[in-house]
Amino acid sequence: MNDLLIQNIKALVLPKKTDRPLKGKELDELEVIENGTVVVKDGKIVYSGKHTDEYEAKETIDATGKVVSPALVDAHTHLIHGGSREHEMTLKRQGVSYLEILEQGGGILSTVEATREATEDQLFEKAEHDLLTMIHHGVLAVESKSGYGLDKENELKQLRVSRRLQEKYNLDMRHTFLGPHAVPKEAESNAQFLQEMIDLLPEVKEYADFADIFCETGVFSIEESKRYMEAAQKEGFKVKIHADEIDPLGGLGLAIDEGAISADHLVASSDEDKKKLKDSDTVAVLLPGTTFYLGKESYADARGMLEQNGAIAIATDYNPGSCVTNNLQMVMAIAALKLKLSPNEIWNAVTVNAAKAIDVDAGTINEGDKANIVIWHAPNHEYIPYHYGINHAEKVIKDGKVIVDHQLQLS
């Protein structure tokens, strides 16, 4: 006997299972089945497709009028951090730039101070609330970065918290060491601090899956980023890079040359580097919520990247300074409005391609896949990025069991 039968699905969203990220026009190819059925046994998908009465199960969910999809994947978050930075909104309104706030000891450095002061349990409690918010919004696979410790003790503290969250909730989580996220006040020089982070790589390997670096004006140069990435690869890490967020330094090109699993932000990437995407499986992880929050007019050139046959994903960049949302649905709406992506492209970008960007088996619900599913209170898959700013997830199903139920009613 099967465990769960989801029947009468108005629109069943089935991203394609693939060995590599979807590229170019492939991102707009999405199977959406009307009147679908999903069958689950032992936490795995037994069947997903057109309506059938061939299956019985211990539990049946009637999804009449609803959308069913794989659970979402958030491929770029700064989940573990202390404090908050709401006071910086006033500076932003006055036109003070992100880099100027950083130079004044704000920005990343103020979060570093708050993270260093917080105990491991305090960080866990704060991050747990944020992670549960993500789950309630339909996310069951998450990448979590360090980068607010900027020293051995506190970087390891962040990564331990990230691991504790994964163990408690048994989620598909990936953990990223972002030690070179900024240069701390006490550092003698960029070079000296970068060497400290390189020296920390062997110890970090116990906790982290990826190594990341912030390549930007006033932080780390292309040459420094290359040195770090190559040192990390020698230690067995797959590498990522915060690249071309503000200035076109060439971080996307470096990521492709180094075979990085992803390059993230890419608002200012050059046309020359975007052309390299066609010969690469490096995923361009675009973070339009950050551009929106910072009030910038220019967004990453998603359409240009797809025209070059590149692979893109969409993520929140949840962090306390430049994108204070852990609602991936909201970012899907921004991707539609500002990146000019189609609904099909958006769904693939937050499922199968986001999963490729963090090397996790997620984002699809084909036969044999994990039964990580969301039932959406929406008439079709286009409606979710259209009706923005709210939570459309009605039920979140993990390993075939309903763990979140948001059916609205008053007691």
Side-chain angles (χ1 to χ4, degrees):
M1 177 69 74
N2 297 299
D3 298 316
L4 178 64
L5 173 66
I6 308 173
Q7 199 65 291
N8 304 317
I9 301 166
K10 175 85 168 12
L12 175 58
V13 179
L14 294 176
K16 185 168 125 183
K17 189 100 171 169
T18 174
D19 292 334
R20 58 166 180 78
L22 301 173
K23 301 178 68 174
K25 293 180 180 179
E26 293 176 332
L27 201 71
D28 203 29
E29 298 170 3
L30 181 68
E31 186 175 16
V32 180
I33 293 174
E34 294 184 8
N35 193 16
T37 296
V38 174
V39 184
V40 177
K41 183 176 182 179
D42 298 330
K44 302 282 188 181
I45 301 293
V46 172
Y47 173 84
S48 60
K50 294 180 180 180
H51 175 84
T52 176
D53 293 319
E54 293 181 12
Y55 297 93
E56 295 182 352
K58 299 171 189 173
E59 179 184 2
T60 298
I61 296 175
D62 183 0
T64 298
K66 309 292 172 62
V67 174
V68 171
S69 79
L72 306 182
V73 179
D74 198 339
H76 184 128
T77 85
H78 299 258
L79 179 63
I80 318 296
H81 62 265
S84 59
R85 284 159 37 195
E86 57 273 18
H87 58 282
E88 291 181 9
M89 289 193 77
T90 300
L91 295 175
K92 292 186 177 84
R93 284 196 298 271
Q94 294 170 350
V96 182
S97 75
Y98 180 74
L99 290 180
E100 286 171 329
I101 291 172
L102 184 63
E103 288 170 3
Q104 294 172 17
I108 290 172
L109 296 180
S110 65
T111 300
V112 169
E113 185 176 349
T115 303
R116 288 178 174 181
E117 290 175 355
T119 67
E120 187 169 318
D121 286 343
Q122 286 171 333
L123 288 176
F124 181 89
E125 183 179 353
K126 185 177 190 302
E128 181 179 37
H129 179 272
D130 291 338
L131 179 62
L132 289 174
T133 300
M134 293 178 184
I135 293 170
H136 276 258
H137 282 77
V139 171
L140 287 179
V142 179
E143 186 255 15
S144 169
K145 300 180 189 292
S146 69
Y148 292 121
L150 306 187
D151 62 21
K152 176 179 175 179
E153 175 188 354
N154 290 290
E155 287 294 311
L156 291 173
K157 180 172 70 175
Q158 285 182 266
L159 291 168
R160 284 196 301 270
V161 169
S162 191
R163 286 283 180 179
R164 282 175 59 188
L165 288 167
Q166 180 181 22
E167 290 164 7
K168 180 170 181 177
Y169 292 101
N170 191 28
L171 290 181
D172 290 320
M173 284 187 74
R174 291 291 181 265
H175 317 276
T176 299
F177 174 54
L178 180 58
H181 190 199
V183 181
K185 297 175 185 177
E186 68 270 15
E188 295 175 10
S189 65
N190 279 31
Q192 171 264 327
F193 174 68
L194 184 63
Q195 188 59 51
E196 282 186 24
M197 295 299 100
I198 289 172
D199 292 342
L200 190 50
L201 286 166
E203 194 165 347
V204 163
K205 193 71 175 69
E206 180 183 350
Y207 303 101
D209 304 292
F210 307 117
D212 197 348
I213 186 168
F214 189 9
C215 179
E216 189 53 74
T217 302
V219 195
F220 297 100
S221 67
I222 287 288
E223 292 73 20
E224 288 169 327
S225 299
K226 180 177 181 180
R227 179 181 162 213
Y228 174 79
M229 293 169 80
E230 292 182 350
Q233 287 174 318
K234 286 179 182 177
E235 292 295 336
F237 286 94
K238 293 183 178 180
V239 292
K240 294 174 166 285
I241 185 171
H242 283 56
D244 304 332
E245 179 179 1
I246 300 168
D247 292 325
L249 300 188
L252 174 58
L254 175 64
I256 293 168
D257 292 344
E258 293 295 326
I261 190 168
S262 77
D264 302 32
H265 284 290
L266 311 182
V267 176
S269 292
S270 68
D271 290 340
E272 180 183 357
D273 281 353
K274 282 181 277 191
K275 288 177 182 177
K276 293 182 178 181
L277 281 167
K278 64 179 179 292
D279 299 317
S280 168
D281 283 343
T282 295
V283 180
V285 179
L286 308 184
L287 310 168
T290 305
T291 309
F292 170 81
Y293 186 78
L294 293 175
K296 303 290 187 179
E297 293 184 3
S298 296
Y299 284 74
D301 181 18
R303 296 252 54 94
M305 293 175 190
L306 292 174
E307 287 167 6
Q308 293 298 334
N309 203 37
I312 69 169
I314 303 296
T316 60
D317 189 24
Y318 170 57
N319 74 81
S322 60
C323 192
V324 197
T325 184
N326 35 352
N327 179 358
L328 185 54
Q329 295 173 50
M330 177 68 183
V331 176
M332 291 167 69
I334 298 171
L337 294 167
K338 298 298 185 179
L339 300 187
K340 312 300 183 187
L341 295 179
S342 73
N344 288 359
E345 290 169 335
I346 291 166
W347 278 99
N348 279 323
V350 296
T351 55
V352 61
N353 268 22
K356 296 302 179 190
I358 60 172
D359 193 24
V360 65
D361 184 13
T364 57
I365 46 171
N366 298 312
E367 182 181 347
D369 287 340
K370 285 182 261 191
N372 289 347
I373 302 164
V374 181
I375 300 177
W376 305 91
H377 188 86
N380 54 65
H381 76 297
E382 297 183 12
Y383 187 87
I384 291 155
Y386 152 77
H387 187 168
Y388 70 95
I390 69 162
N391 186 6
H392 296 281
E394 183 174 282
K395 289 182 173 64
V396 180
I397 298 167
K398 181 181 177 299
D399 298 323
K401 294 182 172 60
V402 177
I403 62 169
V404 172
D405 193 336
H406 284 153
Q407 282 191 303
L408 296 180
Q409 56 187 1
L410 293 175
S411 58

